[in-house]
Amino acid sequence: GKSLARPPRSFREMLPMTTRARAIADKVEAFVRETVIPYEKDPRAKGDGHGPDDALVYEMREKARAAGV
């Protein structure tokens, strides 16, 4: 029978990336998983109903800068 290739598991798998681009993508993905997602439970994430409040945004920007993303 004919062998079928495994379909990509994620959008990133579908795109050819340079080594540098892959390193950047991996760094951003880790930051989002480890830092951003836990903040979804923070009451400040709801803000005024139109997104997170300013204090949370500034806090996350500082964390992103510190992480190099």
Side-chain angles (χ1 to χ4, degrees), residues 2-67:
K2 208 183 207 182
S3 165
L4 298 176
R6 178 187 63 76
R9 286 182 235 167
S10 69
F11 184 70
R12 275 190 9 199
E13 283 187 14
M14 295 175 4
L15 301 175
M17 286 193 183
T18 65
T19 302
R20 180 173 179 265
R22 174 69 61 196
I24 292 168
D26 290 345
K27 190 174 188 179
V28 170
E29 181 178 353
F31 178 77
V32 169
R33 288 181 188 277
E34 297 165 11
T35 305
V36 176
I37 290 174
Y39 271 89
E40 291 178 357
K41 296 176 183 158
D42 188 308
R44 298 173 298 165
K46 303 272 187 271
D48 62 2
H50 297 284
D53 68 21
D54 290 343
L56 181 59
V57 172
Y58 298 135
E59 186 175 324
M60 294 303 299
R61 283 183 187 160
E62 287 302 313
K63 288 181 181 267
R65 283 188 193 107

